[in-house]
Amino acid sequence: MAHMIIDGKPCQAISGHTLEVRSPVDGKVFDHIPRSDARDIDLAVRAARAALNGAWGQLSATERGRLMLKLSQLVMTHAEALALLEAKDTGKPMTTARNDMVVLSRYFEFYGGAADKVHGEVIPFLNGYQVNLLREPLVVTAHIIPWNYPAQMMGRSIAPALAMGNAVVVKPAEDACLSCLRIAELALEAGFPAGALNIVSGIGEEAGAALANHPDINFISFTGSNEVGVLIQQAAAKHAVKCTLELGGKSPHLVFEDANLELAATTVVRGIIQNTGQTCTAGSRLLVQQSIHDRFVALVAEKFKQVRVGTPEMNLDCGPVVNPTQQQRVNRFIEQAKASGLPVLAQGQIDPGVPADGYYVMPTFFGAVPADHPLAHQEVFGPVLAAMPFQDEAHAIALANGTDYGLLAAVWTENGGRQQRVAKALKCGQVFVNSFGAGGGVELPFGGVKRSGHGREKGFLALEEMSTTKTVVHFHG
Ligand code: ADP
């Protein structure tokens, strides 16, 4: 039975209630987690506040950084066990789970190293004045984590917060949080003072809502669905606290006729099947210039047919999706697309040896998707790729920007001028040119525009998001 960590101590929910943990691999219950409610959340927030007034608040930036570097090393020491836990909990192939732990470790390394390298400024002002801009923690930060990359997302969200001296309360997703609970344990082992990092498991509407609505938090970092993102922003508004929202995406590849088609085709397939399509930045739309459309789409289809789905141990391209709701959602999209007459250009293969009760879905590539079809503008969050042709640069940009989302895009062309023009015209938070970087890139500021959310994570910008400034004006005559 897994446990939470509040105020440096392992604990169960005050109510004693628990939730079953099922593996998507075979649908079987293999563990239980505490089901916390508002009382547990309150304890965690109080512990965080106390830590800031105690041992955690007294550490220098260098000392905080050293603890984070220690945690980074501990993650690598325990990487294989963490990856096995993550794979069992989420269903992802072992290679993906192992890579997730490398990225998790990297978050603590990057932000641990940065902890004492962020400093204030001196601002020129009127004669007789000295103005200092101090950079300070936001104080108690709340982190609501999704289930697709539990360990990575926890690292991404809390590492910059801890680096800036905040005390954190984490609410991981009820569908997959065992690695997160384990990371909190490792943080204690690394020597983080009690209350610096608290973690509470439970249901979104109960524990998550209690955390987001708690009057004594100073910031909310949320990654998840658009519907819940709106609730988080409303909760933040009630107490006038800041939030960052990383919501969905419908990220396009724009493939022009002069592109390196072989490289583009391989990358396009990888970009949609990564984590079985359960990635906010999944490259789910394939926009192809008319002159090469049929040739390129055939190349992608050929590669797509090789995609194989299996258990984490089989270590194929995709695992199952996280839960039955997600499985039904993906299958509904596929059935609706077929029913509306969209051509299936390719499908992957589900290994015949997968357990019958696991949550497996068929990777599917659809062609000739009209811009107003749900598959062209709604997020599936599964391994479903939608291709559509474009005439010229202006048409490609219009299609690419034609959804409510704006998270990431990739431009494939050898023409340098076009690379610059298109990158500037795209309305999204990240653009990759002749490459595609869903996932990694700890150093690269990341976040959305439009309905994909706001605020920036990763890179040095996350340190700014997770801190505030104070302008100190001295008159010295
Ligand atoms: P999905 O629909 O993909 O499961 P969610 O947005 O529901 O994604 O979940 C992302 C995170 O938000 C999870 O940790 C979940 O527990 C949490 N969550 C869900 N509902 C709420 C809510 N009403 N208030 C706060 N957190 C929530």
Side-chain angles (χ1 to χ4, degrees):
M1 165 95 165
H3 50 253
M4 318 191 285
I5 304 272
I6 297 178
D7 200 18
K9 293 182 273 298
C11 58
Q12 295 299 319
I14 295 171
S15 66
H17 292 162
T18 60
L19 297 168
E20 291 179 336
V21 182
R22 280 178 197 276
S23 176
V25 178
D26 54 14
K28 292 199 171 63
V29 174
F30 72 100
D31 206 344
H32 288 80
I33 52 169
R35 174 180 167 175
S36 64
D37 60 28
R39 289 174 295 170
D40 306 281
I41 298 292
D42 193 49
L43 280 185
V45 174
R46 282 170 197 268
R49 180 75 53 188
L52 286 153
N53 295 326
W56 176 240
Q58 275 154 28
L59 292 184
S60 68
T62 308
E63 288 166 327
R64 288 199 305 271
R66 283 195 189 127
L67 286 177
M68 294 178 66
L69 293 174
K70 183 84 195 297
L71 179 53
S72 165
Q73 286 162 1
L74 275 176
V75 167
M76 285 325 291
T77 308
H78 296 274
E80 188 62 15
L82 279 167
L84 279 165
L85 195 61
E86 192 81 317
K88 180 110 187 164
D89 211 7
T90 61
K92 61 180 75 190
M94 276 306 291
T95 302
T96 314
R98 288 191 182 108
N99 181 57
D100 284 4
M101 298 315 145
V102 173
V103 179
L104 169 68
S105 169
R106 177 82 185 113
Y107 275 116
F108 292 119
E109 180 186 49
F110 180 82
Y111 288 109
D116 60 1
K117 292 163 195 71
V118 179
H119 32 72
E121 291 172 20
V122 175
I123 300 176
F125 192 49
L126 305 173
N127 283 343
Y129 286 86
Q130 164 79 19
V131 180
N132 297 333
L133 187 76
L134 308 183
R135 190 154 280 281
E136 300 189 335
L138 291 162
V139 189
V140 176
T141 55
H143 305 261
I144 299 178
I145 310 291
W147 45 256
N148 55 347
Y149 295 87
Q152 262 206 55
M153 292 292 161
M154 177 159 157
R156 176 171 111 186
S157 190
I158 68 169
L162 291 168
M164 296 312 291
N166 301 285
V168 308
V169 180
V170 183
K171 210 303 279 173
E174 53 272 43
D175 284 303
C177 68
L178 295 175
S179 62
C180 297
L181 296 169
R182 180 74 184 116
I183 295 161
E185 254 176 16
L186 291 178
L188 282 185
E189 202 178 315
F192 276 81
L197 196 176
N198 307 278
I199 186 161
V200 275
S201 54
I203 296 173
E205 295 81 357
E206 191 174 29
L211 179 57
N213 286 283
H214 197 287
D216 205 24
I217 57 166
N218 306 98
F219 172 81
I220 311 171
S221 160
F222 173 79
T223 301
S225 62
N226 283 68
E227 299 72 28
V228 178
V230 170
L231 297 177
I232 298 294
Q233 187 147 342
Q234 286 168 345
K238 265 197 274 181
H239 302 111
V241 301
K242 184 166 100 161
C243 63
T244 58
L245 302 179
E246 202 264 272
L247 310 175
K250 192 74 194 177
S251 298
H253 288 273
L254 289 71
V255 185
F256 289 89
E257 59 192 2
D258 63 338
N260 176 338
L261 298 188
E262 180 61 32
L263 177 64
T266 304
T267 313
V268 164
V269 175
R270 280 207 203 113
I272 185 63
I273 62 169
Q274 176 179 325
N275 212 40
T276 318
Q278 302 166 114
T279 305
C280 312
T281 47
S284 52
R285 288 190 295 153
L286 178 57
L287 316 181
V288 188
Q289 192 154 20
Q290 187 71 64
S291 51
I292 52 153
H293 178 271
D294 293 355
R295 186 156 59 99
F296 183 68
V297 158
L299 191 58
V300 173
E302 199 183 297
K303 294 177 192 294
F304 202 94
K305 283 183 195 144
Q306 312 303 319
V307 173
R308 291 182 306 151
V309 181
T311 64
E313 297 72 34
M314 291 174 183
N315 211 12
L316 305 175
D317 307 298
C318 295
V321 294
V322 76
N323 59 27
T325 312
Q326 192 60 24
Q327 184 186 34
Q328 284 152 18
R329 178 187 163 85
V330 175
N331 285 338
R332 199 170 53 242
F333 267 103
I334 294 174
E335 291 317 316
Q336 281 174 354
K338 283 184 184 165
S340 61
L342 295 187
V344 174
L345 301 181
Q347 288 201 301
Q349 307 152 44
I350 300 179
D351 190 285
V354 300
D357 293 332
Y359 314 136
Y360 300 91
V361 298
M362 182 62 86
T364 308
F365 177 25
F366 286 99
V369 180
D372 59 355
H373 193 280
L375 209 53
H377 55 89
Q378 290 179 14
E379 186 178 43
V380 179
F381 224 58
V384 181
L385 180 62
M388 58 199 84
F390 66 80
Q391 305 304 329
D392 55 19
E393 200 174 299
H395 188 205
I397 292 166
L399 283 175
N401 289 340
T403 73
D404 288 341
Y405 294 111
L407 200 51
L408 183 142
V411 186
W412 295 90
T413 175
E414 295 297 314
N415 179 323
R418 180 184 283 149
Q419 292 170 354
Q420 302 287 338
R421 281 192 304 276
V422 176
K424 282 185 190 161
L426 288 169
K427 297 195 178 0
C428 57
Q430 274 188 344
V431 178
F432 284 83
V433 178
N434 294 336
S435 57
F436 188 79
V442 167
E443 307 83 352
L444 311 178
F446 170 76
V449 300
K450 302 197 284 183
R451 296 261 169 119
S452 289
H454 53 72
R456 291 293 174 262
E457 299 187 274
K458 302 190 180 183
F460 262 59
L461 289 188
L463 296 162
E464 289 183 18
E465 286 285 1
M466 303 275 182
S467 59
T468 186
T469 60
K470 184 190 286 164
T471 310
V472 182
V473 183
H474 302 250
F475 176 65
H476 54 65

